[in-house]
């Protein structure tokens, strides 16, 4: 399959690298000069449980892509999705599908401005990955991909994607329950990402306080209530199980929103807590803890350079 991955950072390079190793024709599309140059010069250095290897794959700016792929996988941070889609308009053909496995809510609505819903594939992945440096990505740990056509219809191309992803070890399942998985991950992220980002504490230090522990559960409970009121059968028990697992096994991890805050970058909060607050309003609910965390992150993002840190 001919695939362009837009946003070839931690996740885009992991997926692009594994799909390339397993016989797909991959173009990595990014905006980072250092990353593109390193990949074209040395290959993509991918480290997974099976070891480190250089993968020969082409990396480009969007403007230099002139072939139409069968599939575009968008893996920018969600705040850059609109820019990325805008820059890709010339290589999204009438038969090109666009897939998003990005975190958060509202990704389909954003992509739908460029591609009809029947050619959007939406999903969730929990593979972990880190961009170690230009041209270098490390992913330690396993994960799954759950995906579906955004209009809910199964179709042969979806099954080809499933087959290619599984050949590449991406543990892909096509499931009508995709939004259950998406909302459960949103609940997890709305809790862990904002609490670690605001407190600047690693998962273990945050969750081992009585307050951190109970705030995480309160946020998860609010988000799942909104999902349920919106007709999505997401399960609080599943989110609590994942939170408990992260508290116990990922104590030293710094979630991406915390890393963004430490580097004074804009975060994906609008697509996570922000989207939950919006959906809560539309179904007549209030989510006070989720809303306060959203406001705090937005407040800090606007005042990064006035913060008193010592
Ligand atoms: P990342 O920051 O490592 O990579 C994003 C890449 O997009 C960067 O290389 C950046 O240069 C590039 N980019 C930015 N603007 C662009 C544009 N306009 N056009 C093309 N490229 C552009 O981010 P990531 O960690 O790979 O996360 C991507 C998405 O996947 C996010 O929604 C994230 O929440 C989600 N996610 C991440 C993980 C993880 O472990 N890293 C796991 C599951 C889901």
């Amino acid at each position: 399959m001919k695939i362009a991955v837009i946003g070839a950072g931690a996740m885009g390079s992991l997926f692009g690298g594994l799909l390339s190793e397993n016989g797909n024709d991959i173009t990595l599309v990014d905006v980072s000069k250092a990353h593109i140059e390193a990949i074209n010069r040395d290959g993509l250095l991918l480290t997974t449980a099976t070891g480190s290897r250089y993968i020969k794959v082409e990396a480009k700016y969007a403007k230099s892509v002139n072939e139409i792929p069968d599939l575009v996988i968008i893996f920018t941070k969600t705040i850059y999705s609109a820019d990325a889609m805008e820059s890709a308009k010339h290589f999204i053909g009438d038969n090109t599908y666009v897939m998003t496995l990005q975190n958060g809510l509202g990704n389909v609505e954003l992509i739908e401005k460029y591609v009809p819903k029947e050619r959007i594939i939406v999903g969730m992945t929990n593979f972990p990955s880190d961009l170690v440096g230009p041209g270098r990505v490390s992913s330690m740990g396993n994960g799954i991909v759950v995906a579906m056509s955004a209009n809910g219809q199964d179709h042969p191309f979806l099954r080809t994607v499933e087959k290619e992803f599984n050949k590449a070890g991406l543990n892909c399942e096509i499931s009508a329950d995709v939004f259950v998985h998406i909302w459960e991950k949103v609940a997890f992220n709305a809790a862990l990402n904002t609490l670690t980002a605001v407190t600047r504490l690693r998962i273990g230090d945050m969750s081992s306080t009585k307050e951190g522990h109970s705030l995480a559960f309160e946020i998860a409970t609010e988000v799942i209530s909104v999902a349920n009121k919106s007709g999505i059968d997401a399960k609080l028990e599943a989110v609590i199980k994942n939170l408990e697992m992260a508290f116990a096994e990922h104590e030293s991890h710094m979630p991406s929103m915390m890393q963004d805050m430490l580097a004074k970058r804009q975060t994906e909060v609008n697509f996570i807590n922000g989207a939950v607050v919006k959906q809560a309003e539309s179904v007549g609910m209030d989510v006070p803890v989720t809303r306060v965390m959203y406001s705090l992150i937005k407040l800090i993002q606007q005042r990064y350079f006035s913060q008193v840190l010592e």
Side-chain angles (χ1 to χ4, degrees), residues 29-310:
V29 182
D30 209 280
V31 290
S32 163
K33 187 169 184 277
H35 192 48
I36 291 175
E37 284 178 357
I39 293 170
N40 289 332
R41 189 184 56 240
D42 308 323
L44 170 71
L45 179 58
L46 179 62
T47 303
T48 61
T50 53
S52 291
R53 65 278 193 192
Y54 282 97
I55 301 171
K56 264 283 157 221
V57 56
E58 205 177 31
K60 290 182 172 177
Y61 294 112
K63 63 174 192 256
S64 309
V65 178
N66 40 36
E67 287 183 71
I68 307 282
D70 305 306
L71 176 68
V72 164
I73 306 177
I74 178 162
F75 250 141
T76 60
K77 290 275 174 72
T78 44
I79 42 173
Y80 303 116
S81 296
D83 286 350
M85 289 303 298
E86 201 59 43
S87 73
K89 279 202 289 205
H90 65 282
F91 63 83
I92 297 179
D94 290 344
N95 297 313
T96 305
Y97 285 80
V98 177
M99 176 183 223
T100 168
L101 302 174
Q102 296 156 293
N103 278 334
L105 301 170
N107 295 313
V108 171
E109 290 74 5
L110 193 153
I111 296 168
E112 219 183 337
K113 293 186 184 136
Y114 302 87
V115 182
K117 218 172 187 169
E118 59 269 23
R119 283 196 282 119
I120 302 175
I121 300 170
V122 61
M124 185 286 303
T125 181
N126 57 8
F127 272 93
S129 191
D130 290 299
L131 189 61
V132 184
R136 292 185 295 141
V137 167
S138 169
S139 174
M140 287 304 175
N142 214 345
I144 56 164
V145 173
V146 182
M148 191 61 201
S149 176
N151 67 357
Q153 304 281 307
D154 201 347
H155 54 73
F157 186 77
L158 203 51
R159 295 295 164 177
T160 309
V161 170
E162 180 185 36
K163 194 176 92 218
E164 292 302 326
F165 273 41
N166 283 330
K167 248 176 33 195
L170 288 164
N171 303 328
C172 180
E173 184 200 342
I174 303 302
S175 168
D177 284 340
V178 68
F179 280 100
V180 169
H181 293 269
I182 289 173
W183 272 90
E184 287 174 358
K185 188 151 192 224
V186 164
F188 177 90
N189 285 335
L192 266 200
N193 283 15
T194 56
L195 286 168
T196 54
V198 166
T199 60
R200 301 166 81 95
L201 291 171
R202 292 169 193 270
I203 291 178
D205 290 322
M206 183 279 294
S207 64
S208 57
T209 66
K210 191 163 119 292
E211 291 76 11
H213 198 267
S214 67
L215 279 169
F217 288 170
E218 282 175 59
I219 295 169
T221 305
E222 288 182 356
V223 176
I224 294 301
S225 307
V226 175
N228 294 161
K229 185 96 186 272
S230 309
I232 310 285
D233 192 22
K235 300 273 191 269
L236 183 59
E237 310 81 76
V239 183
I240 289 187
K241 192 169 144 227
N242 286 338
L243 284 172
E244 294 285 16
M245 197 265 288
F247 295 166
E249 292 174 25
H250 301 157
E251 293 141 285
S252 62
H253 181 61
M254 295 195 275
S256 64
M257 193 177 288
M258 177 182 176
Q259 292 182 36
D260 286 337
M261 288 232 114
L262 293 174
K264 299 191 190 300
R265 292 187 293 255
Q266 297 301 302
T267 71
E268 294 186 292
V269 78
N270 282 347
F271 289 79
I272 302 174
N273 297 56
V276 172
V277 169
K278 207 163 136 202
Q279 181 61 18
E281 282 164 4
S282 79
V283 294
M285 292 177 75
D286 188 19
V287 282
V289 187
T290 307
R291 184 163 41 73
V292 167
M293 295 311 295
Y294 175 46
S295 298
L296 279 172
I297 300 277
K298 284 215 303 183
L299 181 162
I300 297 168
Q301 285 181 171
Q302 291 168 68
R303 291 289 181 269
Y304 274 142
F305 295 98
S306 319
Q307 279 183 304
V308 181
L309 295 174
E310 293 296 331

